[in-house]
Amino acid sequence: AGLVDKITKRRLTKLKHKTPMAKVIPNDTLSTGPRSQAPSPANGKVVDSTSVDPLTAVAQELDKLHIFRPVTTISYNLSFNQVRFEEQIHGEGTIASNGAIVVDTGIYTGRSPHDKYFVKREPSAEIIDWGPVNQPTTSEVFDELYEEVVRHLSKWRGRIFVFDGYIGARKSSSRRVRVISESAYHHHFCLNMLLTIDKVEGRGRAPTSPGDWNPEMTVIVSPSYLNKDFKRMQLHSETFILGDLERGIMLIGGTSYSGEIKKVQVAMGSVIHPSMTNLPTS
């Protein structure tokens, strides 16, 4: 990421007035422990999620994944203007002459095919095309890396971005997805590549709260986490794209390349609903 020029700063000032939700949260407001608002029974009854404000509901959803974040450090389903503001104030990219955001993804300017693994177990083991790209790993390796990633994100001294939407335009095969990331840039990618809740019709009742979303696929993206124990885990490198298809969870670590988000969701979707991969051949 480079320095924002004077023109960009003027644009940023305008965006700041248009996007009051997007603001810098000082590091000293962060904590790494669970909040008192964590979901719990009240008087023997289940708490009504519709009575909880959206960001608190998102924080409670993250709690379930063992990602413990203060509400003030979470951004949820941002607009294009809001996500552009976040990208710029956090120095994630620069603005090109055509107005597009330009991001330096580091050493990975494309996919890292030798770092993709799936937990090998039934029923997905029968339909995965195993080989040098789709490599097998164990549930023990997945669980260990999962705990490391969510612990890392709980301590992450920045914002957490949560996107809820759909993959797949066809009503019969589209699926609810949730993408959790540590950068606005990846949230921006989701806005471009996936379908937002408000833009989709005929998918059933719109959720009244993020707690009602019940994603069929969850992707957790942490480019800043490097797996130093990859050799012991018999993986290829510090970078990993690791999936447990039966649980509907994918982990992406050590790479900022956003295309991995799309690829892993297509992989999960093909297991959850095989017709998602019925693409035309001519």
Side-chain angles (χ1 to χ4, degrees):
L3 295 176
V4 181
D5 59 25
K6 293 181 179 180
I7 295 177
T8 300
K9 287 182 178 178
R10 288 199 293 269
R11 292 177 180 172
L12 184 57
T13 301
K14 293 179 181 179
L15 281 174
K16 186 174 182 180
H17 294 293
K18 294 180 181 179
T19 58
M21 287 180 59
K23 58 183 180 180
V24 180
I25 304 299
N27 284 342
D28 58 7
T29 66
L30 301 182
S31 66
T32 57
R35 295 163 306 285
S36 59
Q37 305 100 315
S40 60
N43 299 323
K45 297 181 180 180
V46 177
V47 176
D48 181 7
S49 61
T50 61
S51 64
V52 180
D53 72 271
L55 283 180
T56 298
V58 174
Q60 292 175 349
E61 289 295 290
L62 294 178
D63 276 352
K64 296 175 184 178
L65 297 170
H66 294 176
I67 301 174
F68 302 115
R69 301 291 303 189
V71 173
T72 54
T73 67
I74 299 170
S75 294
Y76 176 69
N77 277 10
L78 299 182
S79 68
F80 277 107
N81 277 345
Q82 289 171 329
V83 80
R84 170 63 65 87
F85 176 75
E86 292 283 350
E87 287 169 332
Q88 293 182 70
I89 62 174
H90 297 302
E92 293 186 14
T94 55
I95 305 300
S97 59
N98 63 357
I101 187 79
V102 179
V103 177
D104 183 353
T105 62
I107 63 173
Y108 294 102
T109 57
R111 290 187 299 121
S112 182
H114 298 300
D115 292 302
K116 184 184 292 182
Y117 296 84
F118 295 97
V119 174
K120 189 173 185 178
R121 63 179 170 206
E122 300 300 335
S124 62
E126 292 297 320
I127 60 176
I128 292 176
D129 183 17
W130 299 107
V133 175
N134 299 318
Q135 303 172 79
T137 189
T138 66
S139 58
E140 289 77 15
V141 168
F142 180 90
D143 291 344
E144 183 177 352
L145 260 181
Y146 178 89
E147 288 303 322
E148 289 294 325
V149 170
V150 297
R151 186 181 300 114
H152 176 76
L153 289 178
S154 294
K155 297 178 180 179
W156 172 248
R157 296 190 66 80
R159 299 195 68 78
I160 292 294
F161 298 87
V162 180
F163 173 90
D164 283 349
Y166 289 94
I167 182 173
R170 183 181 299 171
K171 179 181 177 181
S172 61
S173 59
S174 65
R175 289 295 177 263
R176 298 182 304 277
V177 300
R178 173 169 288 160
V179 181
I180 301 164
S181 62
E182 62 187 42
S183 67
Y185 153 60
H186 289 117
H187 197 83
H188 193 162
F189 179 84
C190 292
L191 286 173
N192 281 338
M193 298 300 298
L194 303 176
L195 299 176
T196 57
I197 296 174
D198 60 312
K199 297 292 180 63
V200 177
E201 298 179 355
R203 298 299 198 278
R205 181 179 64 87
T208 56
S209 165
D212 297 330
W213 184 236
N214 297 321
E216 296 164 273
M217 311 179 199
T218 299
V219 182
I220 302 175
V221 189
S222 181
S224 65
Y225 180 80
L226 300 176
N227 179 21
K228 300 298 184 179
D229 289 330
F230 69 92
K231 291 182 179 179
R232 177 178 60 81
M233 296 179 181
Q234 298 183 334
L235 303 179
H236 177 257
S237 74
E238 295 177 334
T239 296
F240 55 91
I241 300 93
L242 197 63
D244 188 332
L245 297 181
E246 275 65 36
R247 290 168 62 184
I249 298 177
M250 294 290 302
L251 304 174
I252 300 175
T255 174
S256 292
Y257 176 65
S258 59
E260 298 288 7
I261 297 173
K262 175 188 67 175
K263 288 291 184 179
V264 298
Q265 292 193 56
V266 171
M268 284 193 289
S270 65
V271 173
I272 295 173
H273 201 298
S275 68
M276 289 187 71
T277 57
N278 289 343
L279 302 177
T281 57
S282 62

